[in-house]
Amino acid sequence: MPNANVVRAAGVVLLREGEGGREFLLVHRPVRADWSLPKGKLNAGEHVVVAAVRECDEETGYTAVLGAPLPSQSYSVMSRPKVVNYWCATVGAEVGFAPDDEVDEVRWIPVGDAARHLTYGNDVQLVSEAAALPPTVPLIVLRHTQALKRSDFSGKVDAERPLTGRGRSQSKELIPLLDAYGIQEVHASSARRCEETVRRFAKSAGVPVQQEPDLTEESHATTSGATARRAAELALTQAPIVLCSHRPVLPTIFDALAEELGIDAADPRWTRAWDPKLPPGGFVVIHRAFADDGSASAVGIERHTLSGE
């Protein structure tokens, strides 16, 4: 569990293509008389991913679609440690800026002019790192949420085992998390518990749940090669995608994605995130950069659990 003494915050480097090249958005805070990046503290019980999108919306009037994670910033505020997680982001929608006491002005600035406009050197570095990243497309590997135990299931076909009440609540919690990455395709093992995990998000996004028989436990136990081949195919899907499967199947999926996307699990950049041992509702986001020939490579990887897990 996170240290209760640590102040958690989240923010974005919001980028767009302007007339003269790439631009980023900065905000003016009248109380501090500074120019900085959109960010803010997490609400009680709020997931850091949701906070990043919410803060950008509240401060700037733009809905952010999260891309690759950026280095977090750590410093002290009134003798308490503070950690701010950042993401590179693009504009999902413009809902309209409304100045208030917290932020009274926003500006789009060429990335090359960051040092002239931003108050803090750490923000300048974040803009530089975000601008250096290629465009990416997320692939999310999701373990289904909490399901009824096998020992408590009276049915004859395990694939029909449903989610528990807690699992259904977790599936609702996933909606803003998947939405934060702009997911447009939903793929799930054809087992009921996987389909139920993503059904609510798919409905909110207005997309179908595409069933994946090769990602079921039964198929994996019979022929793991088919599971690996299907995962490799999905790795090259050039759309923001989530695929939902089962704990025993995840190691095979991870191995296939690592081979297809050039991920070295021993690389210090990926070690902490690249682990198939996910709790129910846990997920890993792979930010893929695509080449002209359709091949892809991982630019960033992040790992998340649901709040309270």
Side-chain angles (χ1 to χ4, degrees), residues 6-7 35 88 90 114 123 135 158 172 228 259:
V6 176
V7 177
W35 288 94
C88 181
T90 54
D123 285 355
D158 184 69
K172 294 177 184 177
E259 182 174 355

Side-chain angles (χ1 to χ4, degrees), residues 242-265:
V242 60
L243 61 94
C244 180
S245 190
H246 312 260
R247 177 186 56 79
V249 184
L250 292 179
T252 297
I253 292 175
F254 272 59
D255 287 345
L257 295 178
E259 182 174 355
E260 191 65 50
L261 299 174
I263 298 168
D264 179 2

Side-chain angles (χ1 to χ4, degrees), residues 147-211:
L148 190 68
K149 293 181 180 179
R150 285 184 171 88
S151 59
D152 295 333
F153 180 55
S154 59
K156 295 182 179 180
V157 179
D158 184 69
E160 291 300 316
R161 186 155 48 93
L163 298 180
T164 63
R166 171 61 179 151
R168 293 192 297 273
S169 294
Q170 290 173 327
S171 73
K172 294 177 184 177
E173 190 176 343
L174 283 168
I175 293 173
L177 295 172
L178 299 179
D179 189 56
Y181 296 96
I183 295 302
Q184 297 174 5
E185 286 193 16
V186 179
H187 297 251
S189 154
S190 51
R192 178 179 175 181
R193 54 195 180 275
C194 287
E195 193 275 337
E196 287 184 344
T197 293
V198 294
R199 180 193 300 162
R200 286 181 172 86
F201 170 75
K203 183 178 180 180
S204 72
V207 298
V209 177
Q210 301 183 48
Q211 293 192 350

Side-chain angles (χ1 to χ4, degrees), residues 13-280:
V13 177
L14 194 66
L15 297 170
R16 73 176 185 185
E17 291 299 326
E19 294 182 0
R22 270 184 131 184
E23 300 175 333
F24 75 98
L25 191 66
L26 73 169
V27 303
H28 183 257
R29 300 185 297 179
V31 173
R32 294 176 174 81
D34 63 9
W35 288 94
S36 60
L37 300 172
K39 68 177 184 300
K41 292 188 292 185
L42 275 62
N43 292 329
E46 187 177 33
H47 198 287
V48 65
V49 167
V50 176
V53 175
R54 175 185 57 76
E55 284 291 339
C56 183
D57 184 353
E58 290 180 357
E59 292 192 348
T60 72
Y62 288 94
T63 300
V65 177
L66 302 185
L70 297 167
S72 61
Q73 302 291 323
S74 301
Y75 49 90
S76 293
V77 177
M78 299 181 67
S79 300
R80 289 184 64 188
K82 182 174 183 177
V83 177
V84 188
N85 292 96
Y86 283 97
W87 282 263
C88 181
T90 54
V91 175
E94 182 179 359
V95 294
F97 172 68
D100 57 24
D101 292 340
E102 186 174 353
V103 174
D104 62 353
E105 187 178 354
V106 300
R107 291 181 186 175
W108 286 100
I109 301 295
V111 296
D113 293 338
R116 293 174 48 207
H117 293 274
L118 285 165
T119 303
Y120 307 109
N122 286 342
D123 285 355
V124 176
Q125 182 62 30
L126 283 170
V127 171
S128 177
E129 294 192 30
L133 292 173
T136 59
V137 182
L139 182 155
I140 296 180
V141 182
L142 168 68
R143 180 183 171 185
H144 67 73
T145 57
Q146 187 182 89
L148 190 68
K149 293 181 180 179
R150 285 184 171 88
S151 59
D152 295 333
F153 180 55
S154 59
K156 295 182 179 180
V157 179
D158 184 69
E160 291 300 316
R161 186 155 48 93
L163 298 180
T164 63
R166 171 61 179 151
R168 293 192 297 273
S169 294
Q170 290 173 327
S171 73
K172 294 177 184 177
E173 190 176 343
L174 283 168
I175 293 173
L177 295 172
L178 299 179
D179 189 56
Y181 296 96
I183 295 302
Q184 297 174 5
E185 286 193 16
V186 179
H187 297 251
S189 154
S190 51
R192 178 179 175 181
R193 54 195 180 275
C194 287
E195 193 275 337
E196 287 184 344
T197 293
V198 294
R199 180 193 300 162
R200 286 181 172 86
F201 170 75
K203 183 178 180 180
S204 72
V207 298
V209 177
Q210 301 183 48
Q211 293 192 350
E212 297 289 347
D214 289 333
L215 302 187
T216 64
E217 287 192 59
E218 293 76 13
S219 176
H220 180 258
T222 302
T223 170
S224 60
T227 302
R229 286 191 293 274
R230 184 54 181 153
E233 291 172 354
L234 292 172
L236 300 181
T237 300
Q238 295 191 35
I241 181 175
V242 60
L243 61 94
C244 180
S245 190
H246 312 260
R247 177 186 56 79
V249 184
L250 292 179
T252 297
I253 292 175
F254 272 59
D255 287 345
L257 295 178
E259 182 174 355
E260 191 65 50
L261 299 174
I263 298 168
D264 179 2
D267 189 321
R269 295 176 300 166
W270 316 135
T271 301
R272 295 184 64 182
W274 196 249
D275 184 354
K277 296 177 183 178
L278 290 167

